Amino acid sequence: MTRLTSMRDITPYINRLIAGLRSVLLDPIPVSREAAAKALGRLVPYVGSDTCSGVVSWLLETLVSDTGTVERCGAAQVRQ
C-alpha cells in the first residue's frame, strides 16, 4: 500500500489503519498475524514514528504481558 499511495493520502486514515492492524495482530490465525505484522512493519517507517506514536510502546507492552502466547507472537512478528 505504501508504494501505491502518497503520504498525504494515507495520513487521514492512519489511526484507523493502525487500529485495524493491531486487532489483527492479536488474531488466533497465524497467517493473519503474519500479514498484519508485515503491513505494520512497513507502514510505521513510511509514515514516521511521530505519526504512529504509541505503536512501539504497545508492541513492547504486549510482548512482555501476561496475556496468551497468541498476543505475544503477534507483537513479536512485526519487523521492517
Side-chain angles (χ1 to χ4, degrees):
M1 176 171 41
T2 57
R3 293 181 182 169
L4 299 174
T5 62
S6 69
M7 171 78 160
R8 65 185 165 90
D9 293 335
I10 292 177
T11 303
Y13 306 102
I14 196 68
N15 291 332
R16 284 181 158 171
L17 287 169
I18 291 175
L21 290 172
R22 284 171 62 167
S23 68
V24 177
L25 274 175
L26 305 178
D27 195 274
I29 301 170
V31 176
S32 299
R33 288 194 314 262
E34 181 182 1
K38 286 180 183 178
L40 191 60
R42 290 186 179 135
L43 183 66
V44 171
Y46 180 72
V47 297
S49 58
D50 294 340
T51 307
C52 302
S53 62
V55 173
V56 174
S57 61
W58 175 80
L59 288 169
L60 291 172
E61 288 173 17
T62 304
L63 200 61
V64 296
S65 68
D66 288 337
T67 58
T69 56
V70 169
E71 289 84 1
R72 291 192 306 268
C73 285
Q77 287 179 329
V78 177
R79 60 186 177 273
Q80 292 181 358

